[in-house]
Amino acid sequence: MKRTRIVEVLTSEKVGTQFMIMGWVRTKRDSKAGLSFLEVNDGSCLSNLQIIADEKLSNYKSEILKLQTGCSIKALGVLSASPGKGQKVELQAEEIAVFGWADPTVYPLQKKRHSFEFLRTIAHLRPRTNTFGAVARLRNAMSNAIHTFFQDRGFIYLHTPIITGSDCEGAGEMFKVTTFDMDQIPKKDGHPDFAMDFFGQPANLTVSGQLEAEIYALAIGDVYTFGPTFRAENSNTSRHLAEFWMVEPEMAFCDIKGDMELAVDFLKYIFSFVLKNCKEDIEFFNRFIDSSVIETLECIISQGFETLTYTEGIEILIKADEKFEFPVNWGVNLQSEHERYLCEKVLKKPIVMVDYPKEIKPFYMKVNKDEKTVRAMDVLVPKIGEIIGGSQREDDYDTLLERIKEMNLNPDDYWWYLELRKFGSVPHAGFGLGFERLIQFVTGLSNIRDVIPFPRTPGNISF
Ligand code: 4AD
Ligand code: MG
């Protein structure tokens, strides 16, 4: 007989039907009346299936009584209405077989609450907990929603390279890719001779697929990327990873206004999608992690976002009756404490902030007429701060060349990017959404290390 996933068994509620399920025992209780109650989970949903094992089963004494948390089993049985509290249906076992045992003296996931710090040290077992199972299902559902959103709007999914020779953000926070023998690096004039390296020039892991996405946007219209990106910034915060997933749409014939509209529509779509399709998991987060997540998402869907210029934001912050760790004046990079203050205390809404000083933004953003600010757009949300960073792109050849030089970058490295402004240049815009920050926002999980299966952070590459 074929296995049925527990989510299907529970939603079918087909009382009287025989099912075969396979999963891991979460808990077991033995009654004096010769019955055992097994709570079994197979990861397909948050809920466990209750299985009733009767002492008449041939292996009752030899195996079932010895089952413990973490053991894997298969069970064949008939679904029946459950007289007990907490579940509508249960499986009356006709046969139970054990796949693998889990010695309770050493199996770390016993039935009690474990700290997230501890669970990070057992990332090979943490997906078997309620929280990490729910995060995994949510990541999956949200990935699906992201593709559906863009596909429904005619965007083409573009695969951009993971290894590149350019630095999109111009910030130099990159992991180098090399096949050099570290003990014998070929040198020229005292420096590594990259002509001898695999690619014949320095190479690194990409920080963003944007520059390549622009190439395709300027040929086939609207595109999006969704893939891993890498930043070697040494930020040991609850919002930074060295490897994270980014969604980057890029639209031709589009200005900053169209970019902002897309970002807002996109976020609202994702929030509606999870509220509708991930009910059980979202309710779990709302109950056990952060009791405001559902209300917050509903509020954003109905009330939307506030738009604010950087200059307006700075004025509010300067007047604020609040001690910030980082002082504020026009021209500074906003810190998460500033972004959160504006969202949480002042506007009580997520913010789309526009028109940042050009000095604190990358070279590719379109310069405004004031020549001081650029057409940048960041989406800031309560509790996290920035989840989206985007802009209209500089489409004028001379201005772009000047900006590249101003930022002390080498124009030769960007020759193809500059050429796009020489041949049939058009206004275009896009943004990057940090997928993990979005999941943090939706789940209320405070540490970014808990929303990605295997976090990469400074000093941590286990699993
Ligand atoms: O603002 P960023 O650096 O923008 C770009 O990379 C642009 N090239 C995007 C574009 O216009 N196509 O990064 C975009 C988003 C941030 O808003 C943040 O959510 C996330 O990526 N992000 C990180 N997430 C986790 N860990 C990190 N170290 C992150 N750095 C940025
Ligand atoms: Mg940014």
Side-chain angles (χ1 to χ4, degrees):
M1 191 177 181
K2 256 183 88 178
R3 158 177 92 120
T4 307
R5 301 299 304 265
I6 287 175
V7 65
E8 283 169 46
V9 175
L10 290 174
T11 46
S12 83
E13 295 182 8
K14 278 190 191 150
V15 168
T17 306
Q18 195 185 42
F19 288 104
M20 157 89 80
I21 67 98
M22 299 180 192
W24 291 266
V25 175
R26 284 287 178 86
T27 59
K28 189 192 59 148
R29 184 167 56 82
D30 304 313
S31 83
K32 289 201 188 83
L35 284 179
S36 292
F37 299 86
L38 304 171
E39 291 285 328
V40 177
N41 192 285
D42 68 357
S44 60
C45 59
L46 188 77
S47 298
N48 301 324
L49 175 65
Q50 174 158 285
I51 298 179
I52 316 292
D54 193 293
E55 64 186 346
K56 286 185 207 110
L57 292 172
S58 62
N59 58 346
Y60 187 77
K61 282 216 174 82
S62 61
E63 292 193 315
I64 292 169
L65 279 180
K66 292 178 190 155
L67 284 173
Q68 304 265 8
T69 301
C71 295
S72 50
I73 61 162
K74 77 173 168 190
L76 180 72
V78 173
L79 201 66
S80 65
S82 173
K85 265 197 272 172
Q87 65 279 321
K88 276 194 190 154
V89 288
E90 59 193 20
L91 197 76
Q92 301 286 342
E94 293 163 346
E95 236 178 85
I96 292 180
V98 182
F99 286 115
W101 297 94
D103 179 350
T105 62
V106 283
Y107 185 59
L109 284 180
Q110 293 306 318
K111 194 190 181 251
K112 61 165 186 154
R113 263 193 141 173
H114 299 283
S115 74
F116 289 136
E117 287 78 12
F118 170 67
L119 290 173
R120 271 172 229 143
T121 67
I122 51 165
H124 59 308
L125 297 172
R126 71 177 184 169
R128 297 186 190 183
T129 63
N130 283 338
T131 306
F132 290 90
V135 169
R137 285 185 298 272
L138 206 65
R139 270 188 86 97
N140 170 63
M142 287 167 73
S143 304
N144 181 12
I146 286 164
H147 284 295
T148 308
F149 175 85
F150 288 115
Q151 293 292 331
D152 283 354
R153 281 159 186 76
F155 282 65
I156 286 170
Y157 178 34
L158 179 72
H159 301 112
T160 47
I162 285 175
I163 305 176
T164 78
S166 55
D167 176 7
C168 172
E169 296 306 293
E173 290 161 333
M174 296 178 298
F175 290 100
K176 295 180 180 66
V177 175
T178 173
T179 51
F180 277 158
D181 174 350
M182 288 300 139
D183 294 325
Q184 286 178 3
I185 297 176
K187 298 252 166 98
K188 199 177 166 188
D189 307 328
H191 297 288
D193 183 5
F194 287 105
M196 305 288 285
D197 203 357
F198 191 91
F199 295 106
Q201 66 167 79
N204 47 269
L205 295 180
T206 187
V207 297
S208 160
Q210 177 196 324
L211 303 188
E212 290 91 353
E214 284 185 52
I215 295 180
Y216 270 76
L218 295 184
I220 56 174
D222 301 340
V223 299
Y224 70 105
T225 72
F226 182 16
T229 48
F230 308 85
R231 306 247 168 130
E233 52 193 334
N234 204 351
S235 314
N236 234 323
T237 79
S238 58
R239 302 155 45 249
H240 287 89
L241 289 166
E243 176 179 298
F244 65 99
W245 283 64
M246 186 150 51
V247 182
E248 296 184 275
E250 188 70 34
M251 294 168 288
F253 314 106
C254 179
D255 61 10
I256 188 73
K257 242 183 115 233
D259 201 31
M260 288 159 68
E261 278 165 17
L262 184 80
V264 167
D265 287 352
F266 174 61
L267 289 174
K268 283 187 174 181
Y269 179 89
I270 302 291
F271 297 156
S272 308
F273 186 97
V274 294
L275 287 177
K276 186 163 165 244
N277 297 290
C278 311
K279 243 177 171 330
E280 189 186 34
D281 290 326
I282 291 287
E283 275 163 11
F284 168 81
F285 290 115
N286 201 68
R287 184 152 168 226
F288 293 104
I289 304 294
D290 176 346
S291 62
S292 70
V293 287
I294 292 183
E295 198 192 327
T296 306
L297 297 180
E298 283 171 346
C299 209
I300 297 177
I301 294 165
S302 63
Q303 296 179 17
F305 297 67
E306 195 77 38
T307 306
L308 205 65
T309 64
Y310 169 89
T311 305
E312 289 166 340
I314 290 291
E315 279 165 8
I316 297 175
L317 290 168
I318 286 173
K319 283 192 213 129
D321 191 18
E322 178 101 1
K323 262 241 150 314
F324 295 116
E325 191 188 338
F326 296 89
V328 186
N329 51 61
W330 200 93
V332 299
N333 232 329
L334 290 187
Q335 302 293 327
S336 134
E337 57 170 345
H338 308 132
E339 298 171 338
R340 293 185 50 180
Y341 176 81
L342 290 171
C343 292
E344 292 166 25
K345 303 243 168 92
V346 184
L347 297 161
K348 304 201 160 59
K349 257 188 188 182
I351 299 172
V352 186
M353 186 172 273
V354 293
D355 296 337
Y356 285 75
K358 64 176 182 180
E359 283 75 21
I360 58 170
K361 289 291 183 188
F363 68 94
Y364 53 71
M365 295 189 176
K366 184 152 186 72
V367 181
N368 277 317
K369 288 208 181 77
D370 63 13
E371 289 185 12
K372 285 199 300 217
T373 59
V374 285
R375 280 181 209 169
M377 158 202 87
D378 279 6
V379 178
L380 318 175
V381 296
K383 293 188 195 142
I384 295 176
E386 177 191 339
I387 59 167
I388 283 183
S391 70
Q392 185 172 337
R393 320 306 187 187
E394 186 52 74
D395 53 348
D396 178 74
Y397 182 91
D398 296 323
T399 317
L400 182 64
L401 181 61
E402 207 176 294
R403 288 286 291 145
I404 289 177
K405 288 181 187 157
E406 250 173 46
M407 304 290 253
N408 288 322
L409 299 167
N410 183 357
D412 294 345
D413 292 344
Y414 298 93
W415 68 271
W416 47 269
Y417 191 72
L418 280 157
E419 262 196 6
L420 294 172
R421 278 76 183 163
K422 243 190 208 168
F423 311 127
S425 185
V426 302
H428 61 289
F431 64 76
L433 163 96
F435 189 44
E436 284 73 23
R437 290 199 187 163
L438 183 69
I439 302 170
Q440 276 191 280
F441 187 62
V442 167
T443 58
L445 282 164
S446 57
N447 198 311
I448 199 164
R449 294 166 177 81
D450 299 326
V451 298
I452 187 163
F454 305 105
R456 269 53 181 132
T457 51
N460 177 21
I461 185 80
S462 305
F463 306 101

Coordinates of all heavy atoms in Angstrom, one line a residue, residues 281-340:
D281 N 0.5 27.2 10.0 CA 1.9 27.6 10.4 C 1.9 29.0 10.9 O 2.6 29.3 11.9 CB 2.9 27.4 9.2 CG 3.1 25.9 8.9 OD1 3.1 25.1 9.9 OD2 3.3 25.5 7.8
I282 N 1.2 29.9 10.2 CA 1.2 31.3 10.6 C 0.5 31.4 12.0 O 1.0 32.2 12.9 CB 0.4 32.2 9.6 CG1 1.2 32.3 8.3 CG2 0.2 33.6 10.1 CD1 2.5 33.1 8.4
E283 N -0.6 30.7 12.2 CA -1.2 30.7 13.5 C -0.3 30.2 14.6 O -0.3 30.7 15.7 CB -2.5 29.9 13.5 CG -3.7 30.8 13.0 CD -4.9 30.0 12.5 OE1 -4.9 28.8 12.8 OE2 -5.8 30.6 11.9
F284 N 0.5 29.3 14.3 CA 1.6 28.8 15.2 C 2.5 29.9 15.6 O 2.8 30.1 16.8 CB 2.3 27.6 14.6 CG 3.5 27.2 15.3 CD1 3.5 26.4 16.5 CD2 4.8 27.6 14.9 CE1 4.6 26.0 17.2 CE2 5.9 27.3 15.7 CZ 5.8 26.5 16.8
F285 N 3.0 30.6 14.6 CA 4.0 31.7 14.9 C 3.3 32.8 15.7 O 3.9 33.3 16.6 CB 4.6 32.3 13.6 CG 5.5 31.4 12.9 CD1 5.2 30.8 11.6 CD2 6.7 31.0 13.5 CE1 6.1 30.0 11.0 CE2 7.6 30.1 12.9 CZ 7.2 29.6 11.6
N286 N 2.1 33.1 15.4 CA 1.3 34.1 16.1 C 1.1 33.7 17.5 O 1.1 34.5 18.4 CB 0.0 34.3 15.4 CG -0.6 35.6 15.7 OD1 -0.1 36.7 15.3 ND2 -1.7 35.6 16.5
R287 N 1.0 32.4 17.8 CA 0.7 32.0 19.1 C 2.0 31.8 20.0 O 2.0 32.2 21.1 CB 0.0 30.6 19.0 CG -0.4 30.1 20.3 CD -1.7 29.1 20.2 NE -1.8 28.4 21.5 CZ -2.0 27.1 21.6 NH1 -2.2 26.4 20.5 NH2 -2.1 26.6 22.8
F288 N 3.0 31.3 19.3 CA 4.2 31.0 20.1 C 5.4 31.9 19.9 O 6.3 31.9 20.7 CB 4.7 29.5 19.8 CG 3.7 28.5 20.3 CD1 2.8 27.8 19.4 CD2 3.6 28.2 21.7 CE1 1.9 26.9 19.9 CE2 2.7 27.3 22.2 CZ 1.8 26.6 21.3
I289 N 5.5 32.6 18.9 CA 6.7 33.5 18.6 C 6.4 35.0 18.8 O 7.1 35.6 19.5 CB 7.2 33.2 17.2 CG1 7.5 31.7 17.0 CG2 8.5 34.0 16.9 CD1 8.6 31.1 17.8
D290 N 5.4 35.5 18.1 CA 5.1 36.9 18.2 C 3.6 37.1 17.9 O 3.1 36.9 16.8 CB 5.9 37.6 17.1 CG 5.6 39.1 17.0 OD1 4.6 39.6 17.6 OD2 6.4 39.8 16.4
S291 N 2.9 37.5 19.0 CA 1.4 37.5 18.9 C 0.9 38.7 18.0 O -0.3 38.9 17.9 CB 0.8 37.7 20.3 OG 1.3 38.9 20.8
S292 N 1.8 39.4 17.4 CA 1.3 40.5 16.5 C 1.4 40.2 15.0 O 1.0 41.1 14.2 CB 2.1 41.8 16.9 OG 3.4 41.7 16.4
V293 N 2.0 39.1 14.7 CA 2.3 38.9 13.2 C 1.0 38.9 12.3 O 1.0 39.6 11.3 CB 3.2 37.7 12.9 CG1 4.6 37.9 13.3 CG2 2.6 36.4 13.4
I294 N 0.0 38.2 12.7 CA -1.2 38.2 11.9 C -1.8 39.6 11.7 O -2.1 40.1 10.6 CB -2.3 37.2 12.4 CG1 -1.7 35.8 12.2 CG2 -3.6 37.3 11.6 CD1 -2.6 34.6 12.6
E295 N -2.0 40.3 12.9 CA -2.6 41.6 12.8 C -1.7 42.5 12.0 O -2.3 43.3 11.2 CB -2.7 42.1 14.3 CG -3.6 43.3 14.4 CD -3.5 43.9 15.8 OE1 -3.1 43.2 16.8 OE2 -3.7 45.1 15.9
T296 N -0.4 42.5 12.1 CA 0.5 43.3 11.3 C 0.3 43.1 9.8 O 0.2 44.0 9.1 CB 1.9 43.1 11.7 OG1 2.0 43.2 13.2 CG2 2.9 44.0 11.1
L297 N 0.3 41.8 9.5 CA 0.2 41.5 8.0 C -1.2 42.0 7.5 O -1.3 42.6 6.4 CB 0.3 40.0 7.8 CG 1.7 39.4 8.1 CD1 1.7 37.9 7.8 CD2 2.8 40.1 7.4
E298 N -2.3 41.7 8.3 CA -3.6 42.2 7.8 C -3.6 43.7 7.7 O -4.2 44.2 6.7 CB -4.7 41.7 8.8 CG -5.0 40.2 8.6 CD -5.8 39.6 9.7 OE1 -6.0 40.3 10.8 OE2 -6.3 38.5 9.5
C299 N -3.0 44.4 8.6 CA -3.0 45.8 8.6 C -2.3 46.4 7.4 O -2.8 47.3 6.8 CB -2.3 46.2 9.9 SG -2.8 47.8 10.5
I300 N -1.2 45.8 7.0 CA -0.4 46.2 5.9 C -1.2 46.0 4.6 O -1.3 46.9 3.7 CB 0.9 45.5 5.8 CG1 1.8 45.9 7.0 CG2 1.7 45.9 4.5 CD1 3.1 45.2 7.0
I301 N -1.9 44.9 4.5 CA -2.7 44.6 3.3 C -3.8 45.6 3.2 O -4.1 46.1 2.1 CB -3.3 43.1 3.4 CG1 -2.2 42.1 3.3 CG2 -4.3 42.9 2.3 CD1 -2.6 40.7 3.8
S302 N -4.4 46.0 4.3 CA -5.6 46.9 4.1 C -5.1 48.4 4.1 O -5.7 49.2 3.4 CB -6.6 46.7 5.2 OG -6.0 46.9 6.5
Q303 N -4.1 48.7 4.9 CA -3.7 50.1 5.0 C -2.5 50.6 4.2 O -2.3 51.8 4.0 CB -3.5 50.5 6.5 CG -4.7 50.4 7.3 CD -4.5 50.7 8.7 OE1 -3.5 51.3 9.1 NE2 -5.4 50.3 9.6
G304 N -1.7 49.6 3.8 CA -0.6 50.0 2.9 C 0.6 50.6 3.6 O 0.8 50.4 4.7
F305 N 1.3 51.3 2.8 CA 2.6 51.9 3.2 C 2.6 53.4 3.2 O 1.8 54.0 2.5 CB 3.7 51.4 2.2 CG 3.9 49.9 2.2 CD1 2.9 49.1 1.7 CD2 5.1 49.3 2.6 CE1 3.1 47.7 1.7 CE2 5.3 48.0 2.6 CZ 4.3 47.1 2.1
E306 N 3.5 54.0 3.9 CA 3.7 55.4 3.9 C 4.9 55.7 3.0 O 5.9 55.0 3.1 CB 4.0 55.8 5.4 CG 3.9 57.3 5.6 CD 2.4 57.7 5.8 OE1 1.6 57.0 6.4 OE2 2.1 58.8 5.3
T307 N 4.8 56.8 2.3 CA 6.0 57.2 1.5 C 6.6 58.4 2.1 O 5.9 59.3 2.6 CB 5.6 57.5 0.0 OG1 4.9 56.4 -0.5 CG2 6.8 57.8 -0.8
L308 N 8.0 58.4 2.2 CA 8.7 59.5 2.9 C 10.0 59.7 2.2 O 10.6 58.7 1.8 CB 9.0 59.0 4.3 CG 9.2 59.9 5.5 CD1 7.9 60.7 5.7 CD2 9.6 59.2 6.7
T309 N 10.4 61.0 2.0 CA 11.7 61.1 1.5 C 12.8 61.0 2.6 O 12.4 61.1 3.8 CB 11.9 62.5 0.9 OG1 11.8 63.5 1.9 CG2 10.9 62.8 -0.2
Y310 N 14.0 60.7 2.2 CA 15.1 60.6 3.2 C 15.2 61.9 4.0 O 15.3 61.9 5.2 CB 16.4 60.3 2.4 CG 17.6 60.4 3.3 CD1 18.1 59.4 4.0 CD2 18.3 61.7 3.3 CE1 19.3 59.5 4.7 CE2 19.5 61.8 4.1 CZ 19.9 60.7 4.8 OH 21.1 60.8 5.6
T311 N 15.1 63.0 3.3 CA 15.2 64.3 4.0 C 14.1 64.5 5.0 O 14.4 65.0 6.1 CB 15.2 65.5 2.9 OG1 16.2 65.2 1.9 CG2 15.4 66.8 3.5
E312 N 12.9 64.1 4.7 CA 11.8 64.2 5.7 C 12.1 63.3 6.9 O 11.8 63.7 8.0 CB 10.4 63.8 5.0 CG 9.9 64.8 4.1 CD 8.8 64.3 3.2 OE1 8.6 63.1 3.0 OE2 8.0 65.1 2.6
G313 N 12.6 62.1 6.5 CA 12.9 61.1 7.6 C 13.9 61.7 8.6 O 13.8 61.6 9.8
I314 N 15.0 62.3 8.0 CA 16.1 62.9 8.8 C 15.5 64.0 9.7 O 15.8 64.1 10.9 CB 17.2 63.4 7.9 CG1 17.9 62.2 7.3 CG2 18.2 64.3 8.7 CD1 18.8 61.4 8.2
E315 N 14.6 64.8 9.1 CA 14.0 65.9 9.9 C 13.3 65.4 11.1 O 13.4 65.9 12.3 CB 13.1 66.8 9.1 CG 13.9 67.8 8.2 CD 13.0 68.4 7.1 OE1 11.8 68.1 7.0 OE2 13.6 69.1 6.2
I316 N 12.5 64.3 10.9 CA 11.8 63.7 12.0 C 12.8 63.2 13.1 O 12.6 63.4 14.3 CB 10.9 62.6 11.5 CG1 9.8 63.1 10.6 CG2 10.2 61.8 12.7 CD1 8.9 62.0 9.9
L317 N 13.8 62.5 12.6 CA 14.8 61.9 13.5 C 15.5 62.9 14.3 O 15.8 62.7 15.5 CB 15.7 61.0 12.8 CG 15.1 59.7 12.2 CD1 16.1 59.1 11.2 CD2 14.7 58.7 13.3
I318 N 15.9 64.0 13.7 CA 16.6 65.1 14.4 C 15.7 65.7 15.6 O 16.2 65.9 16.7 CB 17.1 66.2 13.4 CG1 18.2 65.7 12.6 CG2 17.5 67.5 14.2 CD1 18.7 66.6 11.5
K319 N 14.4 65.8 15.3 CA 13.5 66.4 16.3 C 13.1 65.3 17.3 O 12.5 65.7 18.3 CB 12.2 66.9 15.6 CG 12.5 68.2 14.9 CD 11.1 68.8 14.4 CE 11.2 69.6 13.1 NZ 10.2 69.1 12.2
A320 N 13.4 64.1 17.1 CA 12.9 63.0 17.9 C 13.4 63.1 19.4 O 14.5 63.4 19.6 CB 13.3 61.6 17.4
D321 N 12.5 62.7 20.3 CA 12.8 62.7 21.7 C 13.3 61.3 22.0 O 12.7 60.6 22.8 CB 11.5 63.1 22.5 CG 11.8 63.4 23.9 OD1 13.0 63.6 24.2 OD2 10.9 63.3 24.7
E322 N 14.5 61.0 21.5 CA 14.9 59.6 21.6 C 16.4 59.6 21.5 O 17.0 60.3 20.7 CB 14.3 58.8 20.5 CG 14.7 57.3 20.4 CD 13.6 56.4 21.0 OE1 12.6 56.9 21.4 OE2 13.9 55.2 21.0
K323 N 17.1 58.8 22.4 CA 18.6 58.7 22.3 C 18.9 57.6 21.3 O 18.7 56.4 21.6 CB 19.1 58.4 23.7 CG 19.6 59.6 24.5 CD 21.1 59.5 24.8 CE 21.9 60.7 24.9 NZ 21.8 61.8 23.9
F324 N 19.6 58.0 20.2 CA 20.1 56.9 19.3 C 21.5 56.6 19.5 O 22.3 57.5 19.9 CB 19.9 57.4 17.8 CG 18.4 57.6 17.4 CD1 17.9 58.9 17.1 CD2 17.6 56.5 17.4 CE1 16.6 59.1 16.7 CE2 16.2 56.7 17.0 CZ 15.8 58.0 16.7
E325 N 21.9 55.4 19.3 CA 23.3 55.0 19.4 C 24.1 55.8 18.4 O 25.2 56.2 18.6 CB 23.4 53.5 19.3 CG 24.8 53.0 19.6 CD 24.9 51.5 19.3 OE1 23.9 50.8 19.1 OE2 26.1 51.0 19.1
F326 N 23.6 55.8 17.1 CA 24.3 56.5 16.0 C 23.6 57.9 15.8 O 22.4 57.9 15.5 CB 24.2 55.7 14.8 CG 24.9 54.4 14.8 CD1 24.3 53.3 15.3 CD2 26.3 54.3 14.5 CE1 25.0 52.0 15.4 CE2 27.0 53.1 14.6 CZ 26.3 52.0 15.0
P327 N 24.4 59.0 15.9 CA 23.8 60.3 15.8 C 23.3 60.5 14.3 O 23.8 59.9 13.4 CB 24.9 61.3 16.1 CG 26.1 60.5 16.1 CD 25.8 59.0 16.2
V328 N 22.3 61.4 14.2 CA 21.6 61.7 12.9 C 21.9 63.0 12.4 O 21.8 64.0 13.1 CB 20.1 61.5 13.1 CG1 19.4 61.6 11.7 CG2 19.7 60.3 13.7
N329 N 22.3 63.1 11.1 CA 22.3 64.4 10.4 C 22.2 64.1 8.9 O 22.5 62.9 8.5 CB 23.5 65.3 10.7 CG 24.8 64.6 10.6 OD1 25.1 64.1 9.5 ND2 25.5 64.4 11.7
W330 N 21.8 65.1 8.1 CA 21.6 64.8 6.7 C 22.9 64.3 6.1 O 24.0 64.9 6.2 CB 21.2 66.1 6.0 CG 20.5 65.8 4.7 CD1 19.2 65.6 4.5 CD2 21.1 65.6 3.4 NE1 18.9 65.3 3.2 CE2 20.1 65.3 2.5 CE3 22.4 65.6 2.9 CZ2 20.3 65.0 1.1 CZ3 22.7 65.3 1.6 CH2 21.6 65.0 0.7
G331 N 22.8 63.1 5.4 CA 24.0 62.5 4.8 C 24.4 61.2 5.4 O 25.1 60.4 4.8
V332 N 23.9 60.9 6.6 CA 24.3 59.7 7.3 C 23.5 58.5 6.7 O 22.4 58.7 6.2 CB 24.2 59.7 8.8 CG1 25.0 60.7 9.4 CG2 22.7 59.8 9.2
N333 N 24.1 57.3 6.8 CA 23.4 56.1 6.5 C 22.4 55.8 7.6 O 22.8 55.8 8.8 CB 24.4 55.0 6.4 CG 24.3 54.2 5.1 OD1 23.2 54.1 4.5 ND2 25.4 53.7 4.6
L334 N 21.2 55.6 7.3 CA 20.3 55.2 8.4 C 20.6 53.9 9.0 O 20.9 52.9 8.2 CB 18.8 55.2 7.9 CG 18.2 56.6 7.5 CD1 16.8 56.4 7.1 CD2 18.4 57.6 8.6
Q335 N 20.6 53.8 10.3 CA 20.8 52.5 11.0 C 19.4 51.9 11.2 O 18.4 52.6 11.2 CB 21.5 52.8 12.3 CG 22.9 53.4 12.1 CD 23.9 52.6 11.4 OE1 23.9 51.4 11.6 NE2 24.8 53.2 10.6
S336 N 19.5 50.6 11.6 CA 18.2 49.9 11.8 C 17.4 50.6 13.0 O 16.2 50.6 12.9 CB 18.5 48.5 12.0 OG 17.8 47.9 13.0
E337 N 18.1 51.1 14.0 CA 17.4 51.8 15.1 C 16.6 53.0 14.5 O 15.5 53.3 15.0 CB 18.4 52.3 16.2 CG 19.5 53.2 15.7 CD 20.3 53.8 16.8 OE1 19.9 53.8 17.9 OE2 21.4 54.4 16.4
H338 N 17.2 53.7 13.5 CA 16.5 54.9 13.0 C 15.3 54.4 12.1 O 14.2 55.0 12.2 CB 17.4 55.7 12.1 CG 18.7 56.1 12.7 ND1 19.9 55.9 12.1 CD2 18.9 56.6 14.0 CE1 20.8 56.4 12.9 NE2 20.3 56.8 14.1
E339 N 15.5 53.4 11.3 CA 14.4 52.9 10.5 C 13.3 52.4 11.3 O 12.1 52.6 11.0 CB 15.0 51.8 9.6 CG 16.1 52.3 8.6 CD 16.8 51.2 7.9 OE1 16.8 50.0 8.3 OE2 17.4 51.5 6.9
R340 N 13.6 51.7 12.4 CA 12.6 51.1 13.2 C 11.8 52.2 14.0 O 10.6 52.1 14.2 CB 13.2 50.1 14.2 CG 13.7 48.9 13.5 CD 14.2 47.8 14.5 NE 13.2 47.6 15.5 CZ 13.3 46.7 16.5 NH1 14.5 46.0 16.6 NH2 12.4 46.6 17.4

